[in-house]
Amino acid sequence: MRIGIDKMAFATTNDYLDLVELAKERGVDPNKFTIGIGQDLQAVVPPTQDIVTLGATAAKKLLTPELEKNISTVIVATESGIDNSKASAIYIKHLLGLSDFIRTVEMKEACYSATAAIQFAKGVVTLNPQETVLVIAADIARYGLNTPGEVTQGAGAVAMLISRNPHILTLEDTTVAYSKDIMDFWRPLYATEALVDGKYSTNVYIEFFLQTFTRYQQLTGRELADFAALTFHMPFTKMGKKGLEGLLKDRNDEVAQRLRTQLTASQLFSRQVGNLYTGSLYLSLMSLLQNSDLRAGSRIGLFSYGSGAEGEFYTGILEDGYEHYMNNIQEELKHRHQVSVAEYEKLFSSQLGMNDRDIEFDVTTDPLPFVLKGQKDHQRIYEAK
């Protein structure tokens, strides 16, 4: 039985910041951001948006009444949780109007957990082939104003349907997971911004990729020539390049050139949105599929990484007609609204965060279908517009 990703959809905020403008305001050479980090634009989050609204918006793009009947489970992977007890998946299920006879859970392991969610979803479908699992990777990456990590912020959600007879990617059986207790990135319960050792984290990322890919080769006997493309978790696009070059080194044959070309295709959307944490790998996959000419039957490798740290390398086979089962991301990104650095700083500081006060936001200017109206009696108030 073939099981894999049947449909995919992406959603981000309506506002973005030009990182050249941010660089000028911060007194930094813009090339440090656009070339050194590999980012051009960054999603800016108004206080009326969070992982619930973004996750619901992404999921709404791929659901139909017929598909909804088969959904047995909703899994939200995030490191931007809004409650220490209640799963964000329950809020999303409610906003989408899904049946009450559905299990809803939230998963966490830094940027890795969406991959674990997909593997768990595959297990559910294996046991119950008639069921479909909705997996949502939703996050808001925050490091603080005028900090070294500011340029690697971002926001968005990727929603995926995992089912039998998938239309996008059939998952192969061999996967390699690898984990160690490492303090390269973490966020204590009392903090709204993450703590990170950037250079150390990059080195760990490369090590985990090489460890998992080498183990995968040992288990399968496959070589680089067996892959049409490799996709990477991209908190910033230069990270994916570092991972690939750590494997290729000085290799410059036809296979290496092809993988580098496909990497560029996979980076395009991340350059315009920024860091999605759990969704970054899957945005890079969508970018690859919408900006390259891959054919059905192509094998794609996926490297997932979450600081702390956990990595996994797995593969999938591309299905015929895959391009018809995703929303057109580039077209949607064209219609966003650019904000100034001053506006971005105001919006950044207006987030609900760890606030116990009653508050009501003005939602009239937010064009997304789901909004956070505010908080009352310690409860977040959501609305489907």
Side-chain angles (χ1 to χ4, degrees):
M1 180 170 56
R2 296 185 298 107
I3 299 174
I5 302 174
D6 184 57
K7 295 181 70 177
M8 302 181 78
F10 169 70
T12 188
T13 62
N14 189 56
D15 298 322
Y16 74 90
L17 175 68
D18 188 323
L19 294 180
V20 170
E21 296 301 315
L22 180 65
K24 292 177 180 177
E25 182 69 24
R26 300 293 186 248
V28 175
D29 180 354
N31 287 335
K32 182 177 180 181
F33 291 173
T34 60
I35 298 175
I37 300 296
Q39 298 299 127
D40 296 321
L41 308 176
Q42 184 178 105
V44 173
V45 186
T48 50
Q49 291 295 316
D50 65 5
I51 61 165
V52 167
T53 57
L54 291 171
T57 297
K60 181 180 174 66
K61 295 178 182 181
L62 51 73
L63 293 180
T64 65
E66 190 62 30
L67 289 173
E68 290 174 9
K69 295 177 184 178
N70 297 324
I71 294 176
S72 67
T73 304
V74 179
I75 307 175
V76 174
T78 187
E79 56 178 283
S80 311
I82 60 167
D83 191 286
N84 287 328
S85 178
K86 187 173 179 178
S88 53
I90 294 180
Y91 292 102
I92 292 176
K93 188 222 76 166
H94 174 72
L95 286 175
L96 294 173
L98 298 178
S99 167
D100 288 343
F101 292 97
I102 288 178
R103 67 175 66 86
T104 52
V105 292
E106 182 175 312
M107 298 183 63
K108 179 180 69 177
E109 198 338 88
C111 302
Y112 163 77
S113 59
T115 297
I118 288 173
Q119 299 298 349
F120 295 166
K122 183 181 178 183
V124 170
V125 177
T126 299
L127 291 173
N128 304 282
Q130 76 282 3
E131 297 182 1
T132 296
V133 179
L134 172 59
V135 172
I136 300 171
D139 266 305
I140 296 172
R142 287 173 61 96
Y143 294 100
L145 300 175
N146 208 4
T147 64
E150 184 177 32
V151 69
T152 61
Q153 298 179 138
V158 176
M160 297 169 276
L161 293 179
I162 309 301
S163 71
R164 64 176 175 174
N165 302 324
H167 287 100
I168 296 179
L169 196 71
T170 293
L171 302 180
E172 296 189 286
D173 289 337
T174 303
T175 74
V176 178
Y178 186 80
S179 60
K180 286 185 175 181
D181 185 2
I182 291 174
M183 299 301 289
D184 61 329
F185 173 107
W186 68 104
R187 182 162 64 86
L189 289 176
Y190 52 79
T192 57
E193 281 81 47
L195 304 173
V196 59
D197 185 337
K199 290 184 177 179
Y200 180 44
S201 188
T202 298
N203 291 335
V204 174
Y205 173 102
I206 296 171
E207 176 200 345
F208 275 46
F209 170 56
L210 296 178
Q211 290 280 5
T212 55
F213 185 78
T214 299
R215 178 64 174 164
Y216 174 87
Q217 287 185 300
Q218 293 169 348
L219 294 173
T220 64
R222 294 187 180 122
E223 301 294 335
L224 276 177
D226 295 316
F227 294 90
L230 298 177
T231 54
F232 293 82
H233 164 58
M234 291 185 192
F236 53 94
T237 64
K238 196 65 173 289
M239 184 76 99
K241 179 177 175 60
K242 288 177 182 290
L244 181 61
E245 294 304 328
L247 177 66
L248 297 179
K249 301 187 185 303
D250 296 328
R251 184 169 171 173
N252 199 33
D253 57 11
E254 184 275 333
V255 171
Q257 290 176 13
R258 182 183 73 242
L259 294 176
R260 290 187 176 105
T261 297
Q262 302 294 19
L263 175 71
T264 299
S266 73
Q267 294 172 321
L268 295 178
F269 293 156
S270 294
R271 291 188 72 97
Q272 300 176 63
V273 176
N275 193 352
L276 303 189
Y277 285 159
T278 53
S280 292
L281 169 60
Y282 299 98
L283 180 60
S284 72
L285 175 61
M286 295 183 75
S287 184
L288 171 70
L289 298 184
Q290 295 188 19
N291 293 291
S292 65
D293 56 355
L294 292 175
R295 298 179 179 179
S298 296
R299 175 175 288 110
I300 298 174
L302 300 95
F303 173 63
S304 180
Y305 176 78
S307 293
E310 187 155 1
E312 184 164 343
F313 183 83
Y314 70 109
T315 59
I317 302 297
L318 204 56
E319 294 294 328
D320 186 36
Y322 65 86
E323 64 273 13
H324 302 300
Y325 295 88
M326 297 174 284
N327 63 309
N328 187 328
I329 296 177
Q330 188 58 61
E331 185 61 31
E332 293 183 7
L333 291 178
K334 291 179 182 178
H335 300 288
R336 292 182 299 169
H337 168 251
Q338 182 177 349
V339 299
S340 67
V341 175
E343 290 172 315
Y344 144 71
E345 292 178 339
K346 181 179 179 180
L347 290 170
F348 186 94
S349 301
S350 300
Q351 298 293 303
L352 184 58
M354 294 184 178
N355 194 329
D356 63 358
R357 294 184 294 108
D358 289 351
I359 188 168
E360 184 174 353
F361 297 128
D362 178 7
V363 301
T364 58
T365 60
D366 193 324
L368 295 189
F370 303 102
V371 291
L372 172 63
K373 294 186 65 176
Q375 180 172 271
K376 185 174 178 60
D377 298 328
H378 307 284
Q379 300 175 42
R380 289 191 177 216
I381 310 299
Y382 293 100
E383 179 180 274
K385 296 178 70 176

